[in-house]
Amino acid sequence: MAGPHLQQPSFLLATLKADCVNKPFAQRCHDLETVIEELPAKELHGIFQWLVESIFGSLDGIIVGWNLRCLQGRTNPNEYSVALDFLDPSGPMMKLVYKLQAEEYRYDFPVSYLPGPVKASIQEQVLPECSLYHNKVQFPSSGGLGLNLALNPFEYYMFYFAISLITQKNSPATHHVSPSNSAYFILVDTYLKCFLPTEGSVLPPPSSNPGGAIPSPTPRSPAVPFSSYGMHHTSLLKRHIAHQPSVNADPASQEIWRSETLLQIFVEMWLHHYSLEMYQKMQSPHVKESFKPTEEHVLVVRLLVKHLHAFSNSLKPEPLSPSAHSHTASPLEEFKRVVIPRFVQEKLYIFLQHCFGHWPLDASFRAVLEMWLSYLQPWRYAPEKPPQSTEPLPRSVPEKWASFIQENLLMYTKLFVGFLNRALRTDLVSPKNALMVFRVAKVFAQPNLAEMILKGEQLFLEPELVIPHRQHRLFMSPTLGGSFLSSRSPAVTDASFRVKSHVYSLEGQDFQYKQMFGAEVRNLVLKLAQLICQAQQTAKSISDHSAETMASQSFFSWFRFTPSEVNGSYTGNDLDEIGQDSIKKTDEYLEKALEYLCQIFKLSEAQLTQMMMKCGTAQDENGKKQLPDCIPSENGLILTPLGRYQIINGLRRFELQYQGDTELQPIRSYENAALVRLLFRLSSVLNERFADQMEVLCSRDDFVGRLCRYHLTNPQLVQKIRYSPVVRDRTSHNWGPRISLRFLASYRTLLSLLMIYFLASWFYVGPVGCTFIILTGYFLYAVIMTFFFEGWKPHEH
């Protein structure tokens, strides 16, 4: 593009849109870099909104943009590297953002695309608690519809970047893409490391003026007065939109305004989809979900959690003198001190509660589980390295983390109970589900962790004269009216008061706390331990059955002419398809999980032995499972809730057997339907014509009689049918000696016959004659099936 500095914004925008169609991706990015370097902010202002949308896609998801979530270096290395360079914190796109930031341009972002609780709050004329929205709500222009947020360029860019994780949907052809290797995932990690550094300070934004710096956004009064919002809200925790305070009133916050803005946008867009009130309503199973996070969404949140732990743990040690601390601590250090409790804790807790209660009972829950476990273990991201030891013993949790555990008590206790309820409803025979139970048990079994959780529960249950009220939520959120630095709350030294404040701020004053080490939860753990024992027995039975099946399926077994087994009760499991190695791995996971649960809850060896014996007696001498748990009644056996659980998860099942006429069984999937009907008619004709002769043969006492009785009669079946109240009055069937030809309809039998016929034909008539005979036989078979049996339907029994 020659002479871009002479082009008008409208012509420049039209040219760039045409380049999107006519030029390759790398060339377009190079031209954009030239335009950003040479043009002033006044001309770049006209293309900024279009450029952001063309990169991250439209808010309605129709325009995909660069599709960063599916862009990977292994599949598209050139576009991958070009996109990362262009969107890097020091790349051309950020230079454009800072150019426009210096001129204090504003861009409208529709409120209708904000997360549900935020949108509802603003539409109800109540300002959200997060300072990100303060002084930004704008009336629509004359005749316009809906409210907008007036955002500065940095905010506008980050809003689009963060919300594209939710608005942009994966196409069917990109489901196999690994989220952790995508360009979007790498950019999230890059932005976190740049604006929330664990070492040093935030790099200053680049400036087009030598020696200058881009100023931080200044407070801006609303363009339209909010006089129409005349009704004031009575809640102390909510501020009316008409009283929007200054966003950057504190000069100390100017140093890290990008860090605070970035974190608030990420937390709001990714976590703030459920308010406390909405969370309470979501406990009802009749309430429909308003937002369903994806596995990729959860993986990105886990990346945020891990980085925030590393960022917070990089805080410099406090000096001994309090006065010295007040003079030397930088705004970034103050931000590290409160970043998790004030910005993340409440929204992440509600987000996890929703996932634990509504996520499908499948292996995809592993992403939620690992994100939760990452939050519970901030010591894993501490800068100090564990001491080298020759013995692979688990590292004890240092006592300095007791305050974190106390201030996040519900994250440990209530969510652990939520996981127990999930584990009790999953198939623990599955290796993926067994792995999840093992992971949780291993984390909570870390030395000293259970003791610190128990200490936190004891602090919460301590009696007190004054009960903390709901206003303790102020401990967890920044003061309304601006940055968290504007009015820092005094340090709370009373540990009991701190724990109570945490619990009541998240769950309310009337919350009935369920102790993790109480009797109720202990009973749940015992049930889980019992299910683990049952799952181990089930896995062993599956392993033994698979071994027997493999041993019995030799090559010559394909040629047997015996009827196929149709009454077997074994239904199989995913372990059959995975193999013996996974069965062994599952047993190891379950065994270690049981060991860890015994360590955490101090289960005695006698209790464990009793459970093992109870599970052992559930197996009969043949290794088959007993009946599901039932209650005898007048109408027979009635399944209990435990029995239904056992059937659903394949732990136990009824031994179902077909007790009617074997000739009238439903056609199986391994049988030829036309041959079943043909052979049934043929055998019926033979049985009617030769019934007397077969009776005479079966009544003989010699070898011929014994042979005929063995092959033509089934005494047990005849006895069951004759005394069955269902078929007692059926006189149309002859229950004496019968010829059964149905086994010939099995595909395996047909294949065996075809192979024998082919070998015999090859031996006697040679390859040419053999081929002719096979083709002739197939033609005759097709003709007979088409003209003689087409449309014939047997009587349904």
Side-chain angles (χ1 to χ4, degrees):
M1 293 180 295
H5 58 282
L6 300 177
Q7 301 177 22
Q8 297 299 323
S10 59
F11 180 74
L12 174 63
L13 181 59
T15 303
L16 293 176
K17 288 183 178 180
D19 290 346
C20 290
V21 180
N22 302 323
K23 291 186 178 181
F25 180 76
Q27 183 62 39
R28 297 202 313 266
C29 291
H30 181 268
D31 292 344
L32 284 170
E33 183 176 1
T34 304
V35 167
I36 293 171
E37 288 288 345
E38 298 184 4
L39 292 184
K42 183 178 180 181
E43 298 186 27
L44 296 174
H45 167 65
I47 68 169
F48 180 66
Q49 289 178 285
W50 166 84
L51 181 57
V52 171
E53 189 175 85
S54 66
I55 294 174
F56 302 121
S58 58
L59 295 175
D60 55 13
I62 297 177
I63 301 176
V64 179
W66 290 4
N67 201 11
L68 297 173
R69 292 167 52 200
C70 299
L71 185 60
Q72 291 197 344
R74 291 179 297 179
T75 56
N76 298 294
N78 294 331
E79 293 185 6
Y80 176 83
S81 59
V82 170
L84 290 182
D85 291 341
F86 188 84
L87 301 177
D88 190 78
S90 59
M93 191 64 194
M94 275 298 174
K95 292 181 180 178
L96 170 61
V97 169
Y98 295 133
K99 261 190 177 183
L100 300 174
Q101 191 81 32
E103 302 296 331
E104 299 186 9
Y105 284 109
R106 300 285 166 166
Y107 302 92
D108 289 340
F109 188 93
V111 171
S112 59
Y113 287 100
L114 294 176
V118 179
K119 178 175 62 176
S121 178
I122 294 178
Q123 290 176 348
E124 293 174 1
Q125 305 176 6
V126 177
L127 192 66
E129 296 178 16
C130 179
S131 62
L132 180 67
Y133 307 104
H134 295 179
N135 204 36
K136 293 183 175 65
V137 181
Q138 299 291 303
F139 274 125
S141 58
S142 178
L145 297 176
L147 295 171
N148 295 313
L149 296 180
L151 304 176
N152 63 49
F154 184 82
E155 294 168 338
Y156 187 82
Y157 173 83
M158 287 301 172
F159 260 85
Y160 260 86
F161 173 75
I163 206 171
S164 65
L165 177 65
I166 300 168
T167 57
Q168 300 300 313
K169 305 299 181 183
N170 279 335
S171 60
T174 56
H175 285 309
H176 62 279
V177 175
S178 175
S180 59
N181 295 327
S182 66
Y184 186 88
F185 195 89
I186 299 301
L187 280 174
V188 171
D189 186 52
T190 303
Y191 289 155
L192 289 175
K193 291 178 179 178
C194 175
F195 297 108
L196 299 171
T198 56
E199 297 181 1
S201 59
V202 184
L203 295 177
S207 173
S208 56
N209 302 323
I214 303 298
S216 59
T218 57
R220 181 174 181 264
S221 60
V224 182
F226 288 82
S227 57
S228 61
Y229 289 175
M231 182 179 62
H232 293 273
H233 204 278
T234 58
S235 173
L236 296 177
L237 295 179
K238 297 181 180 179
R239 193 70 58 87
H240 195 272
I241 292 181
H243 299 85
Q244 299 183 86
S246 172
V247 179
N248 297 285
D250 188 1
S253 66
Q254 306 295 328
E255 180 181 341
I256 58 167
W257 68 269
R258 289 174 298 160
S259 304
E260 185 178 350
T261 299
L262 176 83
L263 177 60
Q264 286 182 326
I265 291 175
F266 283 1
V267 171
E268 290 293 305
M269 294 299 105
W270 296 341
L271 295 178
H272 196 187
H273 294 275
Y274 316 100
S275 62
L276 282 172
E277 294 76 11
M278 186 183 302
Y279 160 65
Q280 297 294 340
K281 295 178 182 179
M282 289 299 292
Q283 304 308 302
S284 173
H286 304 290
V287 178
K288 185 178 180 181
E289 292 183 76
S290 58
F291 176 78
K292 297 180 180 180
T294 62
E295 187 175 352
E296 179 188 7
H297 182 180
V298 174
L299 290 175
V300 174
V301 173
R302 186 192 180 205
L303 176 65
L304 173 65
V305 168
K306 292 167 63 177
H307 184 83
L308 288 180
H309 275 319
F311 177 70
S312 180
N313 290 335
S314 64
L315 177 67
K316 297 178 181 178
E318 293 187 5
L320 300 178
S321 172
S323 59
H325 166 73
S326 60
H327 291 290
T328 58
S330 66
L332 186 62
E333 295 297 307
E334 293 288 338
F335 187 49
K336 293 178 181 179
R337 193 182 311 279
V338 296
V339 63
I340 290 181
R342 292 203 175 194
F343 291 95
V344 179
Q345 186 192 65
E346 177 183 310
K347 295 181 176 65
L348 180 62
Y349 173 73
I350 299 174
F351 182 82
L352 282 171
Q353 281 277 44
H354 177 271
C355 290
F356 273 58
H358 296 82
W359 199 276
L361 290 173
D362 56 22
S364 64
F365 185 73
R366 175 75 186 279
V368 179
L369 187 76
E370 293 299 337
M371 186 252 289
W372 172 51
L373 296 180
S374 295
Y375 183 83
L376 298 186
Q377 303 177 87
W379 46 87
R380 289 185 55 191
Y381 312 100
E384 65 268 12
K385 296 182 179 180
Q388 298 294 333
S389 176
T390 57
E391 299 181 0
L393 297 176
R395 183 187 178 190
S396 178
V397 179
E399 285 292 337
K400 72 173 185 177
W401 297 106
S403 60
F404 178 88
I405 295 172
Q406 294 166 7
E407 294 172 359
N408 293 271
L409 184 63
L410 292 177
M411 288 283 195
Y412 291 89
T413 59
K414 188 171 182 182
L415 291 182
F416 180 81
V417 175
F419 175 76
L420 282 180
N421 291 325
R422 284 187 61 94
L424 290 172
R425 293 180 290 140
T426 55
D427 179 13
L428 299 184
V429 183
S430 169
K432 295 179 180 179
N433 293 335
L435 175 60
M436 287 191 283
V437 176
F438 163 74
R439 288 283 297 121
V440 174
K442 181 180 180 181
V443 168
F444 278 84
Q446 294 178 85
N448 204 31
L449 178 57
E451 288 76 9
M452 286 192 284
I453 296 175
L454 178 60
K455 177 62 177 177
E457 289 192 323
Q458 293 172 349
L459 290 173
F460 174 75
L461 297 175
E462 282 183 0
E464 59 180 351
L465 298 177
V466 180
I467 301 178
H469 45 74
R470 289 301 301 271
Q471 291 185 7
H472 289 158
R473 190 185 301 177
L474 295 177
F475 284 112
M476 305 302 168
S477 58
T479 303
L480 297 176
S483 169
F484 72 96
L485 293 172
S486 56
S487 60
R488 184 184 173 195
S489 303
V492 180
T493 57
D494 184 6
S496 176
F497 184 77
R498 183 169 59 243
V499 176
K500 295 176 188 291
S501 173
H502 155 71
V503 173
Y504 291 140
S505 65
L506 293 181
E507 291 289 350
Q509 182 64 38
D510 55 350
F511 174 62
Q512 299 295 325
Y513 183 76
K514 183 183 298 184
Q515 299 182 53
M516 177 175 169
F517 295 96
E520 185 177 352
V521 177
R522 186 180 182 86
N523 290 334
L524 291 178
V525 174
L526 290 175
K527 289 183 180 179
L528 178 61
Q530 184 176 358
L531 288 178
I532 289 176
C533 296
Q534 292 178 357
Q536 287 179 303
Q537 296 288 349
T538 305
K540 184 178 183 301
S541 299
I542 295 173
S543 177
D544 296 341
H545 182 277
S546 301
E548 294 174 1
T549 304
M550 293 294 294
S552 63
Q553 288 183 348
S554 62
F555 175 77
F556 291 101
S557 65
W558 275 82
F559 297 95
R560 66 178 181 267
F561 291 94
T562 57
S564 300
E565 176 63 41
V566 295
N567 291 325
S569 61
Y570 176 74
T571 58
N573 189 279
D574 62 348
L575 294 175
D576 294 334
E577 301 177 359
I578 299 174
Q580 294 292 325
D581 293 339
S582 291
I583 297 177
K584 181 179 178 181
K585 204 68 176 177
T586 300
D587 187 67
E588 293 177 359
Y589 288 147
L590 295 177
E591 184 178 356
K592 294 297 294 183
L594 191 59
E595 178 183 339
Y596 289 138
L597 289 175
C598 292
Q599 294 178 11
I600 298 169
F601 293 92
K602 304 295 188 294
L603 300 180
S604 64
E605 186 176 353
Q607 289 176 310
L608 186 60
T609 304
Q610 183 180 3
M611 284 187 299
M612 294 295 292
M613 292 178 61
K614 186 176 181 180
C615 295
T617 57
Q619 308 292 322
D620 61 19
E621 59 183 8
N622 296 324
K624 302 296 183 181
K625 289 178 283 295
Q626 282 188 338
L627 295 179
D629 193 62
C630 301
I631 305 174
S633 67
E634 297 179 355
N635 299 323
L637 297 178
I638 298 178
L639 281 174
T640 64
L642 176 59
R644 286 192 290 270
Y645 166 80
Q646 292 168 341
I647 290 179
I648 292 174
N649 293 280
L651 300 177
R652 295 186 185 181
R653 59 182 61 88
F654 289 102
E655 298 292 340
L656 300 178
Q657 291 185 354
Y658 183 81
Q659 296 183 351
D661 189 353
T662 55
E663 291 293 302
L664 302 179
Q665 295 183 76
I667 297 175
R668 309 292 175 169
S669 60
Y670 53 80
E671 294 178 323
N672 185 297
L675 278 179
V676 170
R677 300 184 179 107
L678 169 64
L679 294 172
F680 174 75
R681 295 188 65 182
L682 179 59
S683 60
S684 298
V685 172
L686 294 175
N687 289 327
E688 292 176 3
R689 180 168 298 182
F690 301 104
D692 296 337
Q693 289 84 341
M694 287 189 291
E695 285 282 0
V696 173
L697 289 174
C698 291
S699 62
R700 296 173 57 171
D701 295 332
D702 54 3
F703 172 78
V704 175
R706 290 194 298 271
L707 181 64
C708 291
R709 283 193 298 272
Y710 179 82
H711 289 283
L712 299 179
T713 62
N714 188 341
Q716 295 180 355
L717 178 61
V718 171
Q719 184 179 8
K720 289 180 180 179
I721 293 176
R722 285 179 175 176
Y723 292 96
S724 173
V726 180
V727 297
R728 182 179 301 170
D729 298 331
R730 295 187 181 181
T731 58
S732 59
H733 296 284
N734 177 20
W735 306 118
R738 294 185 302 169
I739 297 176
S740 178
L741 302 175
R742 179 164 177 168
F743 71 94
L744 295 174
S746 170
Y747 287 115
R748 184 167 60 180
T749 304
L750 291 175
L751 180 60
S752 302
L753 289 173
L754 181 61
M755 293 179 64
I756 294 175
Y757 176 73
F758 178 80
L759 293 174
S761 301
W762 187 284
F763 179 77
Y764 285 106
V765 299
V768 178
C770 175
T771 305
F772 175 76
I773 293 175
I774 291 176
L775 293 177
T776 304
Y778 178 79
F779 175 75
L780 293 176
Y781 170 78
V783 170
I784 293 173
M785 291 297 103
T786 304
F787 293 99
F788 186 70
F789 293 103
E790 182 65 25
W792 182 82
K793 301 295 182 181
H795 181 68
E796 297 294 337
H797 295 278

